[in-house]
């Protein structure tokens, strides 16, 4: 009896390892930079937040985007800036640097027709709306890399974005 239990545990472990190793998307190719964007009040969220599915906002402290956002010494916008996008049921946030190019100068743009994030250099496309920033086409598919996600937590009538 003990022999069969060991065999079935070993078989389950092998199946689990095989299943988990095939389709892993690496969403950590972008270096870990601090992210802290406080949209934690109704006023800030109503001004700078996102409302309907596909609505998005870009934050980049170095480039002062948006130009009237109250950036301060405690605000950090990651490696390539932060994309805040309303998903199907909650806001999501990602780093805007292309996870293939891994450069602060190669920033993804958002196609307003299908909400895909597109790299202007390698042409890779990502799905930040419903696909957790996963690759859809281009070099990113072959390399199995996706957009780096950040946390979006409810806070005092708005949200707080962090890593």
């Amino acid at each position: 009896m003990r022999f069969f239990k060991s065999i079935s545990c070993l078989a389950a472990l092998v199946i689990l390892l095989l299943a988990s190793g095939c389709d892993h998307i690496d969403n950590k190719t972008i270096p870990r930079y601090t992210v802290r964007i406080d949209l934690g009040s109704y006023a800030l969220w109503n001004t700078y937040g996102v409302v309907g599915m596909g609505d998005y906002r870009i934050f980049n402290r170095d480039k002062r985007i948006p130009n009237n956002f109250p950036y301060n010494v405690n605000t950090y916008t990651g490696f390539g800036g932060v994309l805040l996008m309303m998903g199907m049921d909650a806001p999501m946030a990602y780093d805007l640097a292309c996870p293939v190019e891994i450069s602060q100068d190669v920033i993804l743009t958002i196609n307003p027709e299908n909400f895909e994030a597109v790299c202007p250099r390698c042409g890779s496309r990502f799905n930040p709306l419903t696909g957790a920033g996963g690759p859809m086409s281009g070099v990113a598919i072959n390399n199995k890399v996706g957009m780096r996600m950040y946390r979006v937590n409810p806070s005092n009538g708005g949200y707080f974005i962090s890593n």
Side-chain angles (χ1 to χ4, degrees), residues 52-135:
M53 186 171 86
D55 192 16
Y56 69 93
R57 176 80 71 166
I58 293 172
F59 295 88
N60 188 311
R61 180 178 158 178
D62 294 340
K63 295 178 182 175
R64 306 296 296 172
I65 300 171
N67 65 359
N68 59 347
F69 185 77
Y71 287 106
N72 62 45
V73 295
N74 293 320
T75 305
Y76 298 95
T77 56
F79 183 70
V82 173
L83 167 66
L84 174 65
M85 181 176 272
M86 180 57 82
M88 293 196 328
D89 58 356
M92 299 177 291
Y94 305 90
D95 200 287
L96 271 170
C98 176
V100 173
E101 300 295 330
I102 313 172
S103 168
Q104 290 177 307
D105 298 325
V106 182
I107 302 302
L108 301 172
T109 59
I110 305 302
N111 181 331
E113 293 189 17
N114 58 17
F115 306 110
E116 291 177 354
V118 182
C119 176
R121 184 174 293 164
C122 72
S124 293
R125 296 178 164 284
F126 304 89
N127 186 346
L129 183 61
T130 59

Side-chain angles (χ1 to χ4, degrees), residues 24-44:
H24 174 73
I25 299 297
D26 183 2
N27 64 352
K28 305 241 185 300
T29 60
I30 297 297
R32 184 176 163 89
Y33 274 49
T34 304
V35 172
R36 285 180 47 91
I37 303 172
D38 187 358
L39 301 172
S41 70
Y42 286 112
L44 283 172

